Amino acid sequence: VQCPYHRCRLRPRWGRIFKSLSDEKQEDIYEQYQKFLNSIPAGDTVTLNFINTFEDFEDRLKRVAPAIQGDNLDKYRKEYTDILSEKLRSARTSIATAKYFTYSIVSPSVDDAMARFEEIDNDVLSSFEKICGEKAKPLSLERRLEVMHDIMNKGDESFFFEHDENGKTTIDWARIRKLGLTTKDIIAPPSFKFSNSNFMIGERYGQTLFLDSIANWLNTNFLTELTEASFESCIALRIVPIAPEETSTLIKRRNIAITNDVIEAQKKAMKNNISPEFISVDIKNAKMQIDELQDDLLNRDQKMFIIGLVITHFADSEAELKTQKNIIKNIALKYVCGFKSLNMQQERGLFASMPFGTNRAFENIRRLIKTESLGVFMPFDFAAATQEG
């Protein structure tokens, strides 16, 4: 599969994500995130997931409102709660965004994988804290399953998931085995029905789109605005680093091909009594881009990555689904990017957008990108860097 190379300018356009920070702090976060991306070894895969769900208003208010203490300050607490209530009611239809980071590796055995994951946990958590000053924590198997259940079973509670006094998700595995069930059974929806360009999951409609084109000038607001759309959705950005030797071979082959195109164009121009300097602008630009890329890789600590971005959105009707699709496409057009429907691959697209860390649906929607371009797809915002785990 060919991976078109995306060329980005030397610096991204900072969006409202960092508007409250100084220029120096913005650059520091951006540089730290690039260092983290460059630290991912070839062979490993990282997937950033953004899960948008409707949140119960009372639950949301309860989390942020001050608790009544039974003292003479309660009247102020109630007044503050009223202000919070008004603000939350005017917010974006009570959409909550949970952010998950899935790290996938290839290992000869489970024991080796677990040992490696312990190292990865320390490295990743330390990196995140350096980048944004916030702490993340590993997601338990039970909580991950509950997240997937909630995506596929909107509003339907499952008696398989229980919560202790601290809110930690637990599962009675002995009971699961006794019933002869698997993890698939406890997260599965009532039904699936997939068609060419959309699907039904229970009584809901869904559709998966993929990022087909990216602007040369990338903007940090692009990903933020997608996650702020006021409907339920799952967004997944899959990141696969390329080994330096493979990158070198790829660039050399591309350089040879472009050089041959330049020579052929110059020969053709001379035969037609035209100066060899007047060759196709596209060929000149391609040559300039590959030369700049070589310089970036050799002198500016840039690495190459293969990325894929998909978004699955859910609605109660096909008409609503179409409206949501237009919203997504308009957001992309605003940033000179483009989304297309993942035709004939809706099933793969659905599961690729969820926090499984799988490769399904990403094989044919890959793009080649360098570190500073990828760094613009930053998963952090001004309010919080991580979500519950």
Side-chain angles (χ1 to χ4, degrees), residues 12 17 25-26 41 53 72 93 100 198 207 218 229 314 328 337-338 346 379:
I17 290 179
K25 184 61 177 176
Q26 292 175 14
T53 56
N72 58 357
T93 62
Y100 300 100
N198 56 45
Q207 182 179 53
L218 295 179
F314 304 95
I328 294 170
C337 298
Q346 287 295 302

Side-chain angles (χ1 to χ4, degrees), residues 52-152:
N52 273 359
T53 56
F54 283 109
E55 188 176 30
D56 181 79
F57 173 80
E58 295 299 331
D59 289 343
R60 197 175 194 184
L61 180 61
K62 186 177 179 180
R63 281 208 318 272
V64 298
I68 299 299
Q69 303 291 332
D71 55 28
N72 58 357
L73 297 178
D74 277 349
K75 61 180 180 180
Y76 301 110
R77 296 187 183 100
K78 290 179 180 178
E79 182 179 351
Y80 184 60
T81 298
D82 290 339
I83 295 173
L84 287 175
S85 176
E86 183 179 350
K87 293 294 184 182
L88 288 176
R89 289 187 187 280
S90 63
R92 55 184 186 104
T93 62
S94 297
I95 285 286
T97 301
K99 302 175 183 180
Y100 300 100
F101 178 93
T102 305
Y103 203 109
S104 306
I105 65 173
V106 177
S107 183
S109 70
V110 173
D111 290 339
D112 288 341
M114 295 306 295
R116 174 89 193 286
F117 276 133
E118 287 185 8
E119 296 178 5
I120 291 171
D121 279 351
N122 294 329
D123 293 341
V124 170
L125 299 184
S126 175
S127 295
F128 274 27
E129 191 166 3
K130 288 179 181 178
I131 294 169
C132 56
E134 296 284 344
K135 291 184 178 181
K137 57 183 178 181
L139 199 66
S140 68
L141 171 61
E142 292 81 3
R143 179 57 187 143
R144 183 181 289 267
L145 290 171
E146 187 176 33
V147 168
M148 295 174 185
H149 170 272
D150 292 346
I151 293 172
M152 295 189 286

Side-chain angles (χ1 to χ4, degrees), residues 25-64:
K25 184 61 177 176
Q26 292 175 14
E27 288 289 342
D28 182 59
I29 292 175
Y30 179 57
E31 294 295 336
Q32 289 291 336
Y33 188 53
Q34 285 193 79
K35 288 180 181 178
F36 165 71
L37 293 172
N38 282 339
S39 71
I40 304 171
D44 293 356
T45 302
V46 166
T47 307
L48 301 175
N49 293 95
F50 305 83
I51 312 298
N52 273 359
T53 56
F54 283 109
E55 188 176 30
D56 181 79
F57 173 80
E58 295 299 331
D59 289 343
R60 197 175 194 184
L61 180 61
K62 186 177 179 180
R63 281 208 318 272
V64 298

Side-chain angles (χ1 to χ4, degrees), residues 303-322:
K303 287 179 63 175
M304 298 302 295
F305 299 83
I306 295 173
I307 68 165
L309 178 66
V310 296
I311 176 170
T312 299
H313 55 107
F314 304 95
D316 293 327
S317 67
E318 286 191 276
E320 185 181 354
L321 196 69
K322 185 176 181 180

